[in-house]
Amino acid sequence: MTRQQHNARRRFLQQLTGSFALGAVSAFLPQIGLIPRAMAQSSDYKALVCVYLAGANDAYNWLVPRDSNASGSHYQRYVSARGGVYSASNTAGLALNFDDLLPIRPQGSSVDFGLHPSHVDFSASSDLGSQAHSGLQTLFNQGKAAFVCNVGPLLQPISKTGYDNGEPRPPQLFSHNDQEFLWHVGVGNQSNPVARYGWGGRVATAIAAMSVGSGLSPAISTAGAARFLVGDGLLPYQLSGEGVNTLDNYSAVDSLNYSAARRAVLDELLGETYTHPFEQGYASTVKRSLQVGEELDALLNANDGSGNVDTIFPTGNSLAAQLNVVARMIKISRDSLMARRQVYFVRYGSFDLHDGMFVSGGELTDSGHGELLTAVNEAIGAFWTALGEIGARGQVTTFTMSEFGRTLSGNGSGSDHAWGGNMLVLGDAVQGGRLFGTYPQLILNNNDDSLQDWSFNRGQYIPTTATEQFAATLARWMGATDSSVLDAIFPNLSKFSTRDLGFMA
């Protein structure tokens, strides 16, 4: 090969880099390769599905005390902390009306609660008809969903007095980027060596022996690169809400627009033996990536429908589109690829509502915060139906994360950055219909050591449950049950008295 030909090939490969970065090809691991599929279903399959609510969900309008509208009730304390009920005459109020809240009665709680009015049952329609789905109120009352209360990054248990005295706390509190990073890595400080990897990736790596069989990475994202899924030697396999992003106009079997000819040239280039290690590694990676993408796309879009679900997901909802793909991936991963453990990541937002939490004249469920929560309710509700269709409700646990809770008091039309928040957990393996952790008293600037209720002047609550306790409980269910393994995954876990929060069966 002449120097001119060699340089031409190099330029061609360099130009391809930009194309691959825009598609799915660059996201695939070099070691991924789909082996011949065994068709028996894996009975030991388990998956975690993280629904990340980007921008910081206002968790105290998501789950609200609803004991009584009378003076002195927990609900009235909530109303007071939030500046009153939002109305045309009180546009700065952030509280929801008592009668708008959807009633739930958590087991073991002396106080009744309510969910945001967006969490009702609903129907989704398509050209094939209409299908009814359960909303989060129904799923909670049926014992399928639970909330874990006042969770956030911590280095160790800390009271308000301890905070004021300078005891260790996570860095850069109230910063979106920093707190999202800490949620993703599941450790309270960025300098910890394990923070190079996400806790989902660390869990997937720890139980990697259980994932061997398909060759597919056990960490899968529909929301681009996600630190949450990165492990030691492990990178996430990336999809989109549409499925696999195959390389356009390079089909080996398509004669239109010279696709087959292009593919033949590309295959020839990728099949060359290159002397430079980078060139050879790049060519090998792209070649395997193309093979994986095409094989996986074929499974998801098989003519017999084996890679699809009949569940009707709501349209115009990006979270629903992502969870639709996740349901299909779970189906083929378990049934065709013989995967045993997987961790998924989806993302939806933005919840950073410094203003516009309510919209004057708008419906509670169709505008502001309510519009976002309606999309979450409908996406998760349809996903639950799909899991029932494929018989995976006991094998899949869905949970939310969000960088922090928000201030109880408003700023005029929204809420600001805070610390502890409430997270949802859903699945047949969940001890549903309950609240875990400690739900705050919702008092501004509180310092009650007896109730472990600590807040700052605008109701920024100090978490009483650490992200590591939350994550470790899910990791144990996935199979990381050995104490030394859990301590390696979550190095601060030993600082907390409760290692397992008990929300998983």
Side-chain angles (χ1 to χ4, degrees):
M1 183 169 61
T2 67
R3 179 178 296 275
Q4 184 178 12
Q5 290 173 321
H6 181 72
N7 290 337
R9 292 176 187 274
R10 290 187 65 179
R11 285 195 301 271
F12 183 77
L13 287 172
Q14 289 166 351
Q15 290 167 355
L16 279 177
T17 303
S19 300
F20 293 153
L22 294 173
V25 176
S26 65
F28 300 139
L29 287 175
Q31 68 267 32
I32 290 177
L34 303 182
I35 65 172
R37 268 78 65 179
M39 298 308 294
Q41 183 184 108
S42 175
S43 60
D44 189 35
Y45 178 83
K46 286 184 180 180
L48 292 177
V49 179
C50 174
V51 178
Y52 194 82
L53 305 180
N57 177 38
D58 192 312
Y60 297 109
N61 266 20
W62 196 20
L63 175 67
V64 181
R66 193 185 182 276
D67 51 342
S68 168
N69 209 354
S71 177
S73 66
H74 288 80
Y75 170 76
Q76 280 299 322
R77 196 160 61 208
Y78 150 81
V79 170
S80 176
R82 306 235 71 176
V85 173
Y86 174 85
S87 67
S89 59
N90 184 29
T91 56
L94 297 183
L96 293 161
N97 189 290
F98 184 88
D99 292 331
D100 288 328
L101 293 168
L102 303 176
I104 60 173
R105 176 166 291 181
Q107 298 177 35
S109 174
S110 60
V111 178
D112 287 349
F113 281 78
L115 297 181
H116 191 280
S118 60
H119 290 336
V120 294
D121 297 345
F122 65 98
S123 293
S125 300
S126 72
D127 294 340
L128 300 177
S130 181
Q131 185 178 32
H133 301 292
S134 296
L136 289 177
Q137 180 197 27
T138 294
L139 294 174
F140 185 92
N141 287 334
Q142 289 178 343
K144 306 301 181 183
F147 282 92
V148 185
C149 302
N150 197 19
V151 191
L154 291 169
L155 290 174
Q156 62 185 41
I158 185 171
S159 66
K160 187 174 182 180
T161 300
Y163 183 94
D164 291 339
N165 289 337
E167 290 182 3
R169 81 288 306 273
Q172 302 298 323
L173 288 172
F174 320 121
S175 157
H176 281 291
N177 290 342
D178 293 279
Q179 298 311 302
E180 176 172 340
F181 179 89
L182 294 182
W183 266 100
H184 279 229
V185 300
V187 62
N189 60 314
Q190 298 168 330
S191 61
N192 193 298
V194 304
R196 291 177 296 172
Y197 310 116
W199 72 259
R202 298 200 303 273
V203 169
T205 301
I207 58 175
M210 303 179 113
S211 302
V212 173
S214 68
L216 179 67
S217 171
I220 299 173
S221 171
T222 63
R227 176 65 68 107
F228 170 70
L229 295 176
V230 176
D232 187 1
L234 176 71
L235 292 174
Y237 186 102
Q238 294 180 32
L239 301 167
S240 74
E242 301 299 322
V244 179
N245 290 326
T246 54
L247 193 61
D248 292 337
N249 297 319
Y250 278 86
S251 171
V253 296
D254 189 353
S255 60
L256 296 176
N257 200 23
Y258 301 100
S259 291
R262 284 193 183 91
R263 182 53 177 271
V265 173
L266 177 58
D267 287 343
E268 181 183 355
L269 287 172
L270 297 177
E272 288 279 358
T273 300
Y274 295 94
T275 58
H276 195 289
F278 177 81
E279 289 179 334
Q280 187 61 49
Y282 183 81
S284 298
T285 298
V286 173
K287 184 176 182 179
R288 282 192 289 268
S289 298
L290 288 168
Q291 292 171 346
V292 169
E294 289 167 349
E295 290 193 32
L296 190 56
D297 185 63
L299 283 172
L300 286 170
N301 297 291
N303 291 331
D304 62 2
S306 58
N308 209 344
V309 292
D310 293 328
T311 298
I312 300 175
F313 281 75
T315 58
N317 181 328
S318 64
L319 179 58
Q322 292 177 72
L323 289 175
N324 186 353
V325 169
V326 170
R328 295 166 61 200
M329 278 296 300
I330 288 170
K331 182 182 180 184
I332 65 169
S333 296
R334 182 196 63 182
D335 298 353
S336 298
L337 303 179
M338 296 303 293
R340 295 182 63 194
R341 297 291 186 273
Q342 291 182 308
V343 184
Y344 288 87
F345 180 82
V346 303
R347 184 183 182 95
Y348 181 72
S350 169
F351 285 84
D352 192 22
L353 296 175
H354 293 278
D355 55 35
M357 189 167 169
F358 294 93
V359 177
S360 181
E363 295 291 332
L364 278 176
T365 58
D366 292 333
S367 61
H369 190 222
E371 182 178 13
L372 294 169
L373 289 182
T374 293
V376 171
N377 181 70
E378 294 186 354
I380 291 178
F383 184 57
W384 180 252
T385 300
L387 292 178
E389 176 190 335
I390 65 176
R393 287 177 175 171
Q395 298 175 316
V396 178
T397 296
T398 305
F399 64 96
T400 63
M401 298 195 313
S402 196
E403 47 260 54
F404 39 68
R406 303 190 74 88
T407 56
L408 294 178
S409 67
N411 57 21
S413 59
S415 57
D416 298 320
H417 302 177
W419 194 351
N422 307 316
M423 305 299 154
L424 175 78
V425 188
L426 171 72
D428 269 352
V430 173
Q431 299 292 320
R434 306 179 190 182
L435 305 185
F436 293 85
T438 303
Y439 190 90
Q441 296 295 304
L442 304 186
I443 300 173
L444 305 183
N445 204 29
N446 201 30
N447 189 11
D448 189 331
D449 289 342
S450 64
L451 293 177
Q452 296 189 332
D453 198 76
W454 305 298
S455 66
F456 303 127
N457 63 338
R458 295 192 58 201
Q460 309 98 314
Y461 260 88
I462 296 176
T464 46
T465 296
T467 54
E468 290 183 75
Q469 295 172 282
F470 178 71
T473 304
L474 293 165
R476 283 179 58 86
W477 175 74
M478 285 285 281
T481 55
D482 186 89
S483 294
S484 62
V485 172
L486 281 176
D487 286 336
I489 299 172
F490 305 107
N492 291 329
L493 185 60
S494 61
K495 297 178 182 178
F496 301 93
S497 59
T498 304
R499 298 168 61 86
D500 187 333
L501 298 177
F503 59 80
M504 297 302 297

